[in-house]
Amino acid sequence: MIPDFEYAFYVWTSYGIFAAVIAWQFIQPQLRKRRIEAEVREERALQTGSYE
Amino acid sequence: MIWKTIKVNFHRLGSPPTFYRLAEVLAPWLWGGFAVCAAIGLYQALYVVPPDYQQSDSFRILYIHVPSAWQAMAGYVVMTILAVIALVWRIRTVEIMAMAGAPIGAAFTFICLATGSLWGRPMWGTWWAWDARLTSMLVLLFIYLGIMGLYAAFEDRRKGARVACILILVGIVNIPIIHFSVEWWTTLHQGATIRLFSGESTLHESMMPPLVWMTIAVKLMFGAALLDRARNDLLDQDRRKGWVQSRLGETA
């Protein structure tokens, strides 16, 4: 299943770096969005006194 | 009539709620397109394409190194166009888009430099050389980091964006330097293998399809990540405005 390459370390490390950076570009904005939304809800709850 | 409709819709994008809605709809499609194109490209790159007769399997690094390098430069050109629009027409959503491009461009530049280094070690016998192509690419990374730093240094985000837009315009001079570095100077890095507009490509046609798929994939990914980041910046800046409050009220 996993191809047996010559220079395998260099090839797989490169693809690994690519995958890690792309995954971070996908995940980081989702985490930030969640954080901002939670902060906004917190601020609103503090103003209104309602945590519903 | 059509022109007027395009113009009106373009100006509508200046409205934060409209832009936010559009980004929310478009981004998942772009991510989906990226996933499909990358899956095809990676499968072909790792399983279909035969090893190179000189570089053996190490040449497979090309399928992430080259699209990343192209995207690092193309992303900068996109940011420059956005910076010009932002500086001339002072459209806030465009300012935000220009700023959102920097971390993604920096990520692609980093991938290009890291994978280039990993390719260079077995082929050139060194991880790094201070040759014109490598050095100008490193300068691009520093420019991206500089734009991010400058934008973050200002408490007034709009002022920070305008100053960073000027830096983007100054930094564009590095793009032709990167492109022509292998022609202007004697470099360890090889000359252009793939020519889109002039001359003949020296890459064998059997090696071409994964490169095309991966190039399309990273372009879609750039668009998706740009919209995601711009949407977050907009949400952050407008957090006390009515449209954000009502949106979050709906999703709560």
Side-chain angles (χ1 to χ4, degrees), chain A residues 1 3 5-6 10-11 14-15 18 21-22 25-26 28-29 32-33 36-37 39-41 43-44, chain B residues 20 31 34 42 46-47 56-57 60-61 64 107 118 221 229 232-233 236 239-240 245 248 251-252:
Chain A
M1 188 63 194
F5 291 144
E6 220 178 315
Y10 302 102
V11 175
S14 298
Y15 279 79
F18 178 76
V21 173
I22 298 292
Q25 291 296 320
F26 178 74
Q28 197 266 342
R32 189 173 170 222
K33 185 169 178 264
I36 296 166
E37 285 178 355
E39 283 171 8
V40 172
R41 289 204 183 94
E43 278 174 27
R44 197 165 47 189
Chain B
Y20 189 92
W31 278 114
F34 159 74
L42 290 174
L46 295 172
Y47 290 94
S56 184
D57 288 312
R60 292 178 202 277
I61 296 171
I64 44 174
L118 282 157
M221 183 263 156
R229 285 178 181 276
N232 281 346
D233 272 359
D236 196 16
R239 56 171 65 202
R240 288 188 182 85
Q245 297 287 336
L248 292 185
T251 55

Side-chain angles (χ1 to χ4, degrees), chain B residues 104-145:
Chain B
I104 315 163
F108 278 117
T109 313
F110 171 75
I111 294 173
C112 170
L113 289 168
T115 57
S117 185
L118 282 157
W119 196 1
R121 181 70 186 109
M123 292 302 110
W124 298 339
T126 182
W127 296 100
W128 181 262
W130 291 103
D131 94 342
R133 172 57 70 85
L134 276 68
T135 308
S136 54
M137 209 63 197
L138 185 66
V139 169
L140 181 65
L141 179 65
F142 291 151
I143 292 171
Y144 273 129
L145 296 177

Side-chain angles (χ1 to χ4, degrees), chain B residues 85-104:
Chain B
I85 296 171
L87 286 171
V88 174
W89 286 286
R90 304 273 172 105
I91 304 171
R92 190 162 65 96
T93 51
V94 179
E95 277 173 15
I96 287 172
M97 290 265 282
M99 294 303 108
I104 315 163

Side-chain angles (χ1 to χ4, degrees), chain B residues 154-175:
Chain B
F154 283 80
E155 208 171 319
D156 179 348
R157 307 299 275 174
R158 294 211 65 182
K159 200 183 224 179
R162 279 199 292 277
V163 175
C165 280
I166 294 167
L167 178 59
I168 293 174
L169 298 189
V170 174
I172 189 71
V173 74
N174 191 42
I175 299 299

